[in-house]
Each structure stands twice: as structure tokens, then as C-alpha cells.
Amino acid sequence: MKYSIDKIAKIIDAIPTEFNKDTISILLTDSRKVFFPGETLFFALPTKNNDGHKYVSDLYELGVRNFVVSSLHPEWNEYDANFLVVSNTLWALQRIAAHHRSQFNIPVIGITGSNGKTVVKEWLYQVLHHNFNITHSPRSYNSQIGVPLSVWQMTNHTQLGIFEAGISQPEEMSRLESIIRPTIGVLTNIGQAHQEGFKSMKQKCLEKLELFINCDVIICEEENELIDECMEIACLSHKRLTWSRKGSNKSPLYIMKVEKHDASTTIHYVILGMDSKFTIPFTDNAAIEDAIQVLAVSIYLHVPLSDINERMAMLEPVAMRLDVRQGRNNTTLINDSYNSDINSLSIALDFLDQRATDSEKTKTLIISDIPQSGLALKELYYLASNLVLNKKVDLLIGIGKEISAHKGLFKGTESHFFNTTDDFVHSNIWHGFANMFVLLKGARSFSFENINKLLEVKTHETVLDVDLDAIVHNFNFYKSRLKPKTKMVCMVKADGYGTGASEVAKTLQYHKCDYLAVAVPEEGVFLRKQGIKIPIIVLNSEVGGFEELATYSLEPEVYNFRILDAFIKEAKLQGITNYPIHIKIDTGMHRLGFTEEDIPALMDRIKSQTGVQIQSVFSHLAASESWNFDDFTVEQIKTFKKIAKEIEINCRYPVMKHILNSAGIERFPEEQMDMVRLGISLYGVSASGLDGLRNVCTLKTTVLQIKHIKAGETVGYGRKGHFDKDATIATIRIGYADGISRRFGNGVGSVLVNGNMVSVVGNICMDLTMIDVTGIDVKEGDSVTIFGEKLPVTELARKMDTIPYEILTSISNRVKRIYYKE
């Protein structure tokens, strides 16, 4: 559906003025995701870390001509564009979405709860899309911004809406309710997630129930005292349609029996006196509860029980994230299979565009038929073709009879079409894939995992999962603590502290990081070749490396006269002037840097030449994480300020100043100056124990073999693993060649197996490690966590009497890195 700009102006109560006669079909809040600028309306949203008003000029250059703003900037006066001025741009976004929702008199399902919202939403779609044309939230678009963007996707073809709503503090849900206006409410559960924003569980439950005040029915579990109490307080009890595990007279749906099998679960139920059952291909308790919620909703919507039971058996796992892996022949695989609606295609193509900043690699999209969207097929694939064209995909592989029938719509892009995945595999066209990014975007029924296996580099089963969303969260966590004009340098040295510098740097660049820092020129050159364009500081530059630095626009740290003189000489030979350098001051670390006594001679050198120019002056705190050395830290900062002031006076131009590292940002926020440097905390480890960071890295492996050991026998090299009783040991696929120190052996270290903490037995081997799994339910092939969310790397470091830095940077290159994001 499309709206005229005049109508939108009235809906959001914009300041009256004359507008160009434009038509809007797309609402945009992220300036990096422009697809069809001519029909786009950009909402300049201010956030804790940014302000959309800063990107209006960039969007105008890209062809966007319609903007919702809260103030007018002088530089926009010459623009031939529509500016809709409102008091609050977020409220304006929500008002237009709420108006759009009011145009539909159809059933709309609103889902909230602490956990399970996205799974229930996706499973409802899987079960109900045979009966309805459905519009549902892409991924987990459940926020104050995500909900209006989701509801906006409703069209004249929509017969059923399914939207999830998430909140993190009071008074948020009422705004989401006015946008979703659900007729059917689903409450998954009330747990501890996001509890920090609420005084009590009761307050959170009451806030979530705000979503259901205008519902016809609310579907939830019967046996929950908190929900019962809150329903009564909210006067919503009369709207409840409950399911029960105990056979309550109040519940029309009784879950009679749950039978768990090896890889599936059969659920026996009674509805209004009729016995029935279905089987789902999952065994975890969360999946069982989510499936029961889907059952209840489907029954309410009058879907025949036979159809429900049949479709439950076909439920597919919900891919909550896409992942990035190394492929053959210098390819990078972006796997976003199982999410293949038109909205998720747009999101995935945007992610592909972020990654493909390296012009030496081409962009390939492998896409299947797009499941039922409510759109006519021609309209659907016309939209898909425009997305492909707009994001400048170099090669398109279409798989499926529907997309093949509409191949004529995909113009301007090299393309090949196949009716089935097997046809593509047998075509051998994939043998020629090299030097490209490959995005896999397929519905489950097309088995794109077979394509992934063909293209992926085969490595052993020990992997390091890297959560890119956690990187972004931690970056924004610290950015929100900075003053508006304070810049941030993010450390990506040592291959991004072992996580993989390229992917981390691309993520940071996309999120407007100011600077990156590496240890040696080679690391900076690698990032430039990967398409990183933001400034990069080289911390340990070398005397003979100026030409390489200049070639790749890398900014060196200069810490002694030998390097300074060499760079000045080389700059003069190459005819370079004012090349940016960063002066390191030694204020007490006594590692590298000029001392206070060096400053007069340093400034004489700087003022007598034109080849280099000081971009920043900085120092390194020796013990900012320790309260015991606060007096020393304060003295370091005092000394630095004195020296930095002297340097800036002599330079006669502004020089950036920075001294705070991760712990310094946390503990000395008043000393932010012009810039701060974020290191280990970016990767989820607080340097001073601050709460609020997310875990970034999870090191996992698998069980290779299980052995039963008799009392008195030994395990491993040197017979170091002794057993006084009969025991069961498992050999896992990781050793010191993978980066696990031998200090971790002989009972020092522990790992997680199926939720159980177990000890390491005997010496760590080069490729293998043995663990004691006596009394534990474990089998060959089971996953083993070395460190991660439930077993922090800090705990591993403590047991080994080292620091997390050493552990993260020691993970060897033969351990495959897998990057993922929601």
C-alpha cells in the first residue's frame, strides 16, 4: 500500500507547508539500507549513540526526497525535498504505523512474553500459511522501532497478521499495543529476561498484559499463579483461553501426556472432549511449550485438527541467526537459509552489502522460491528482482519452479535458474565459484544445507563462534557512556583478539566506529584489502615501513626519535606533507613512548619539517583496572595532560588527546578527552568487572570417543591421569595445537558437556584432550563447550593463572571461526 506525502503529513501532525506530490511505500530508519529512494520516507531518529539527522545529506545524495525530522538544518535549505517537521520522530513513525494498522479489519495475533516469542511466531506462520496470506515480523523486530516497521508491511493481500512485542522497561507496551492492535493475544511465559528494567516480576507481567487490553481472546497456560493474579488485576481474566497440563475445568485444551523419544516428542491432548495427538521433531521443554501455544492458536482459528497434527510433524527449527563461514577458493559463505520471505531477503542483502566492501570479490545470491507472501507471484518476484538489482548482485542463482518461471524479471544481473537444488548441484556451475561472497537464502524444503556442504571449507569440528550482535552491543554500550564529541578507537590487533579482524572490522565500520587500531602494518594492510576504509592506527610501526603505511593510508604510532626521523626523511623523499602520526607518551608504563624530558627536542623536530603532522597524542595507563593503584593512575593522567598541553601549544593546531583504555572508560569517565580506546571489553570481558556486556566468543568441540576405565588404570601421556575407582572418560577434539594451554590439564580445567561441568584428565595432547564424564549422560558426537556464555573465558583464565587476552589470542587458525547475527 502507498500513501501520498500530504496524507502522511496529516496523520503524523507535521507542521503544515506545501509538499512535492510524492508517494511513499517504504519507511526507513537506517540510513545504510536504502533500496528504492524514490518511494522512501526517512525518519531521523535520535538514539543514545547517534542521530538520524546527521545522515539526511547523505540520503539526499542517494536520491531520497522525503524526510521526517524534528528540526531543520540550514544546509538543507537548497534541497528540493519534503521535510515533515514533528516534535518527536519516533512517535511519528509509530503514528503512521498505527494508522496503517487501522485500515485492516482482519485477525491479528500479538505475541509477548520473556522467551519463545520468535519461535511461536515463526511456527504459527509454518502451520497457518496454508490457510491465510500472512504478514509477520521479520526476525525479532519486536521493539519500539521494529514493530511499526513490521506492521507497515501489511498489504491488501494480508489475511492474518502475526507480530511479536518486546519491552525492556515500563510504559513501552501501550505504544506497541496501539500499533499492533491484536485481536488474538499469546502470552508465552514470564521469566527473568530483561528483568533489570522492572521493579518486580509482577510489574513486568502487568506491563506485558497491556498488549492485550483490546484482544478478543488471550491464549496462555493455566497453571501460573503470577499470570492468574495479574490477569485479575488487569481485568482480563474473562478473555483467557487457556491450556492445562493438569486437566483444569477452566481449560478447554488439556495436555494429557507428553512422550519424549530420541529425536521427537509426541503430545497427547484433549480438546472439548476429543482425544488427539501430534509429534514434533524436537525434545526440549521450550519447544514443547511453544508447540502447545501454536496448537491452541490454530484450534482457535478453526484449523482442522488433522491438518494441525500433520503440520506439527513438519515444524522446522527457527534460524535465529545468519552465520558467516569460510568457503572454498577464497569464497565467504553467508548462510541465511530457512528465512526466505521478502522482508528477510532485504535484510540479508543488506548484510551481504556490508561484507562485500572488498571490490576484488564479487557478490553471488543463491535463492529459492519465496514461500507464500500474500503477494501475486509476479509482484513478489518483481520486488525480489529490484532488491537484487539495487544491491548490485553480480551473480544470481535461482532455484525452484516459481522463481524460474519469473526469470525474465531478473534483468541486468548474470543469472542461472534451476528447478531443484539437485539440478543446481549436478550442473557443476558451482565448481567455478571463486573470490566471491555467496549468500544462501533458501526455504527449508530446498535443502540448501547440501549447497553449504559443497561450498564450505572442510575443517575439523572444533569451532569458535563469534557473535557479531554482541560486538555491536558492547561497542554501543561503551559509546553510550561517552560525551557526544568523544571519538572511539576499537582494537582489532592480534586478528581481533583471536576472533577474526576482518569480520569484526567490517561490523564496526558499518556501525560508524571512528578509528581502528592494529599492532603491525601487515594487519592494517590486510584490513585495507578487505575493504576497510575508516582510519587505522598502527601501534608498533617500524623504521623501514613508511612507504607501506602511506600506500595503504595507515596512521603510525611514533614513540621514539629513530622512527620519527626515518618517517620525516621518507615523507620528504616521497613529496608527502602533513602525514598523520600519533605520538606516544610514556607516563609511567615504561614500555614505549617519549618522556617528559624528550618533549622540547620532539617539538623542535616537528616544527622544522612538513612531512608529518601530529593527529593525536596519547599514553597508556598501567593499572587502570585496579583500585589499589588509583593514585598512580591519577598521577599518570596528570602528567599526560601537562605534556599534551605543551605539545598542542607548540603545534598551534588542534591535537586529539586520549589516555583511557577499556578499564579507564569504565572507571575514569571524567577523563575521556577527545578519544578513548576500547580493547578487551569490546570482546565481552570487562576490564574492571562492570556488568552489562555480552559474551562474544564460544569455543566448542565434540566428543570423539568414550572409554570405560578400570580402577587403577591411567590416562594420557606420562600416565598423569589416575583413577582410584572405575570411571568413564571422553576424548574431545581439541589440544594445545588449537590454542589450549597444557596448564589446563590434570584437573586444572573444566568443560561443559550437556550442561554438566566435568574435569580435564591427564595431560593436554597436541590435538586431543580427555575429560572425566563418569555418571554423565553423554555420547560420541555430543558438543563440548570450552568457554562461552555459561563458562566465561575469565573463569578459564583464573584457573590457568593467566588473563583472558592470552586465551583469546592463542586460539589457532585451524579452529574455524563462525560468525553469526540475528
Side-chain angles (χ1 to χ4, degrees):
M1 294 176 66
K2 299 180 180 181
Y3 289 79
S4 71
I5 198 68
D6 290 303
K7 184 171 184 179
I8 289 176
K10 291 178 182 177
I11 293 169
I12 65 176
D13 199 23
I15 293 175
T17 187
E18 288 192 18
F19 298 110
N20 297 331
K21 303 299 181 183
D22 287 344
T23 300
I24 299 300
S25 63
I26 297 171
L27 305 185
L28 180 69
T29 60
D30 189 334
S31 62
R32 300 161 297 191
K33 298 181 178 179
V34 178
F35 286 99
F36 307 117
E39 294 188 0
T40 292
L41 176 62
F42 176 69
F43 289 78
L45 302 179
T47 67
K48 285 195 303 184
N49 306 310
N50 214 335
D51 187 347
H53 292 81
K54 296 193 301 186
Y55 305 105
V56 167
S57 295
D58 294 340
L59 289 166
Y60 186 83
E61 291 297 318
L62 293 173
V64 178
R65 293 295 182 266
N66 296 281
F67 304 89
V68 177
V69 298
S70 57
S71 62
L72 292 171
H73 292 198
E75 61 266 29
W76 303 342
N77 290 339
E78 302 301 318
Y79 292 171
D80 181 20
N82 292 320
F83 289 97
L84 284 64
V85 182
V86 297
S87 60
N88 186 303
T89 51
L90 175 59
W91 292 355
L93 172 66
Q94 294 174 340
R95 285 181 70 174
I96 185 62
H99 174 85
H100 184 64
R101 165 67 182 93
S102 70
Q103 307 305 298
F104 298 87
N105 184 22
I106 60 173
V108 171
I109 302 170
I111 307 169
T112 193
S114 298
N115 303 103
K117 297 184 293 294
T118 301
V119 173
V120 170
K121 178 198 67 185
E122 294 298 331
W123 282 0
L124 280 171
Y125 176 81
Q126 292 179 28
V127 171
L128 298 175
H129 81 265
H130 303 275
N131 303 85
F132 304 92
N133 286 328
I134 298 174
T135 297
H136 68 309
S137 312
R139 298 195 180 274
S140 53
Y141 272 39
N142 58 23
S143 66
Q144 298 291 309
I145 298 172
V147 167
L149 295 178
S150 299
V151 171
W152 181 258
Q153 304 301 320
M154 296 173 73
T155 72
N156 290 329
H157 300 284
T158 303
Q159 298 172 322
L160 174 67
I162 309 177
F163 305 107
E164 58 176 293
I167 55 172
S168 57
Q169 59 189 29
E171 300 182 9
E172 288 185 333
M173 189 61 87
S174 59
R175 302 197 71 86
L176 299 185
E177 190 281 332
S178 67
I179 301 166
I180 299 174
R181 283 282 164 166
T183 59
I184 303 168
V186 178
L187 183 61
T188 56
N189 59 52
I190 300 295
Q192 290 295 329
H194 304 296
Q195 184 59 42
E196 62 275 10
F198 300 91
K199 296 178 181 178
S200 65
M201 294 282 282
K202 182 177 177 180
Q203 183 193 31
K204 181 166 66 174
C205 183
L206 287 169
E207 179 69 20
K208 287 183 178 293
L209 291 180
E210 286 286 320
L211 181 62
F212 306 138
I213 58 174
N214 291 301
C215 280
D216 298 327
V217 65
I218 305 169
I219 292 170
C220 61
E221 185 177 7
E222 174 71 33
E223 292 89 14
N224 189 305
E225 293 182 3
L226 175 62
I227 293 176
D228 288 346
E229 179 186 1
C230 292
M231 286 277 191
E232 288 290 338
I233 294 172
C235 299
L236 294 173
S237 296
H238 63 288
K239 296 185 177 184
R240 297 176 71 185
L241 175 62
T242 59
W243 53 271
S244 169
R245 301 174 189 264
K246 298 180 180 180
S248 167
N249 292 329
K250 299 178 183 178
S251 300
L253 176 57
Y254 168 42
I255 306 304
M256 188 167 52
K257 185 169 63 172
V258 175
E259 291 182 301
K260 289 188 178 183
H261 315 294
D262 288 341
S264 63
T265 301
T266 299
I267 298 171
H268 300 257
Y269 64 94
V270 179
I271 177 70
L272 299 176
M274 293 182 293
D275 292 9
S276 192
K277 65 180 180 179
F278 62 84
T279 299
I280 58 172
F282 307 95
T283 59
D284 60 288
N285 292 332
I288 293 167
E289 184 170 315
D290 293 340
I292 295 170
Q293 299 279 19
V294 172
L295 169 68
V297 175
S298 302
I299 290 172
Y300 180 77
L301 289 171
H302 305 293
V303 179
L305 295 185
S306 58
D307 291 345
I308 297 172
N309 297 341
E310 180 182 350
R311 295 167 192 172
M312 286 291 195
M314 304 300 292
L315 285 178
E316 301 164 3
V318 176
M320 303 289 285
R321 65 193 196 185
L322 55 77
D323 62 58
V324 182
R325 305 170 184 239
Q326 183 181 357
R328 300 172 181 268
N329 303 322
N330 195 32
T331 60
T332 300
L333 303 181
I334 302 173
N335 188 359
D336 193 27
S337 297
Y338 318 129
N339 274 310
S340 58
D341 57 272
I342 191 69
N343 293 322
S344 68
L345 174 61
S346 173
I347 295 168
L349 283 172
D350 181 70
F351 186 80
L352 171 64
D353 207 41
Q354 295 174 37
R355 264 50 212 161
T357 51
D358 179 5
S359 59
E360 295 179 3
K361 282 189 175 183
T362 56
K363 293 185 284 189
T364 295
L365 169 64
I366 304 179
I367 183 173
S368 73
D369 286 348
I370 300 173
Q372 185 175 5
S373 65
L375 299 174
L377 290 179
K378 186 173 182 180
E379 181 181 358
L380 173 65
Y381 290 107
Y382 173 77
L383 287 174
S385 68
N386 275 288
L387 290 173
V388 169
L389 192 63
N390 186 272
K391 283 303 178 183
K392 299 178 180 178
V393 171
D394 300 291
L395 174 63
L396 171 71
I397 305 294
I399 298 177
K401 293 181 179 179
E402 287 183 1
I403 195 170
S404 297
H406 293 86
K407 62 184 179 182
L409 297 173
F410 293 87
K411 300 175 181 177
T413 303
E414 181 186 350
S415 55
H416 304 272
F417 293 87
F418 304 89
N419 284 334
T420 68
T421 300
D422 284 344
D423 289 345
F424 166 73
V425 170
H426 294 141
S427 74
N428 291 329
I429 190 174
W430 53 273
H431 284 298
F433 285 6
N435 302 313
M436 60 173 59
F437 290 88
V438 181
L439 171 60
L440 297 175
K441 203 82 181 73
R444 174 79 173 184
S445 59
F446 284 86
S447 302
F448 271 24
E449 63 269 21
N450 295 331
I451 299 176
N452 191 76
K453 290 176 183 177
L454 288 176
L455 302 180
E456 186 180 4
V457 169
K458 300 297 186 293
T459 56
H460 69 173
E461 294 175 4
T462 301
V463 299
L464 183 71
D465 282 348
V466 181
D467 185 345
L468 297 178
D469 287 330
I471 289 282
V472 174
H473 169 86
N474 297 339
F475 171 73
N476 285 331
F477 178 83
Y478 284 95
K479 194 173 180 182
S480 70
R481 302 170 75 89
L482 301 183
K483 299 169 186 175
K485 293 186 178 180
T486 302
K487 297 181 183 295
M488 184 183 289
V489 186
C490 286
M491 299 291 152
V492 291
K493 60 180 180 176
D495 198 24
Y497 287 48
T499 63
S502 175
E503 288 299 324
V504 173
K506 288 177 181 179
T507 298
L508 293 169
Q509 177 171 263
Y510 182 74
H511 288 276
K512 309 295 183 183
C513 179
D514 300 296
Y515 263 90
L516 301 175
V518 297
V520 295
E522 289 83 357
E523 292 178 331
V525 171
F526 170 75
L527 291 180
R528 288 287 184 243
K529 289 181 177 180
Q530 293 296 307
I532 300 302
K533 298 177 174 61
I534 59 178
I536 298 175
I537 299 174
V538 177
L539 298 173
N540 302 324
S541 42
E542 302 164 353
V543 168
F546 183 80
E547 183 176 359
E548 186 175 46
L549 294 170
T551 299
Y552 290 97
S553 298
L554 305 173
E555 302 178 13
E557 168 191 314
V558 174
Y559 49 84
N560 64 23
F561 288 111
R562 178 169 171 259
I563 289 178
L564 177 62
D565 291 342
F567 285 1
I568 290 172
K569 180 180 179 181
E570 192 62 30
K572 184 176 181 180
L573 288 173
Q574 296 188 32
I576 294 174
T577 60
N578 297 326
Y579 195 84
I581 63 172
H582 300 263
I583 297 295
K584 178 72 170 288
I585 304 299
D586 182 2
T587 58
M589 180 83 164
H590 299 324
R591 186 172 64 178
L592 295 174
F594 294 97
T595 64
E596 187 171 2
E597 293 74 22
D598 293 328
I599 301 307
L602 171 64
M603 297 319 300
D604 286 343
R605 297 272 219 300
I606 293 295
K607 290 189 287 187
S608 66
Q609 55 80 52
T610 59
V612 299
Q613 177 175 295
I614 299 177
Q615 184 81 351
S616 83
V617 56
F618 71 103
S619 187
H620 202 104
L621 298 175
S624 56
E625 73 283 356
S626 174
W627 282 258
N628 295 330
F629 297 110
D630 278 359
D631 290 344
F632 184 81
T633 299
V634 169
E635 191 61 33
Q636 275 196 277
I637 294 171
K638 181 180 176 181
T639 301
F640 174 71
K641 285 181 173 179
K642 179 184 175 183
I643 295 173
K645 183 177 180 181
E646 182 179 351
I647 290 175
E648 191 165 43
I649 290 172
N650 278 275
C651 285
R652 298 181 181 177
Y653 54 76
V655 174
M656 290 191 294
K657 296 167 283 294
H658 49 108
I659 194 171
L660 297 186
N661 53 9
S662 293
I665 301 170
E666 297 171 5
R667 301 197 57 242
F668 299 91
E670 69 280 2
E671 303 296 350
Q672 291 176 11
M673 304 183 196
D674 301 300
M675 194 151 66
V676 298
R677 304 187 302 273
L678 186 62
I680 189 66
S681 296
L682 178 66
Y683 302 94
V685 179
S686 170
S688 68
L690 186 69
D691 290 331
L693 300 184
R694 282 176 53 181
N695 177 70
V696 170
C697 298
T698 301
L699 181 61
K700 301 185 299 186
T701 188
T702 56
V703 173
L704 281 176
Q705 191 174 23
I706 296 173
K707 288 183 177 291
H708 301 286
I709 304 298
K710 296 290 185 182
E713 294 187 337
T714 60
V715 173
Y717 286 121
R719 303 190 68 193
K720 294 291 186 180
H722 295 271
F723 288 92
D724 297 329
K725 300 178 180 178
D726 291 355
T728 304
I729 65 161
T731 301
I732 61 176
R733 193 192 298 262
I734 193 169
Y736 58 77
D738 299 296
I740 296 299
S741 171
R742 294 182 82 243
R743 289 175 287 172
F744 195 55
N746 297 307
V748 172
S750 300
V751 299
L752 271 176
V753 184
N754 297 334
N756 299 284
M757 194 78 73
V758 301
S759 296
V760 173
V761 177
N763 283 323
I764 303 289
C765 308
M766 180 181 288
D767 311 300
L768 304 169
T769 295
M770 285 71 74
I771 57 177
D772 183 356
V773 294
T774 305
I776 301 298
D777 183 14
V778 60
K779 60 183 181 299
E780 293 174 2
D782 280 356
S783 179
V784 179
T785 299
I786 311 301
F787 62 77
E789 182 73 35
K790 296 181 179 178
L791 183 56
V793 68
T794 50
E795 178 65 16
L796 179 59
R798 184 187 66 79
K799 289 186 174 182
M800 292 170 54
D801 193 24
T802 184
I803 55 178
Y805 302 75
E806 180 183 356
I807 293 172
L808 291 174
T809 57
S810 296
I811 305 303
S812 74
N813 287 332
R814 82 175 187 182
V815 175
K816 178 170 60 175
R817 273 69 170 170
I818 297 178
Y819 305 92
Y820 62 91
K821 73 180 298 296
E822 285 193 3

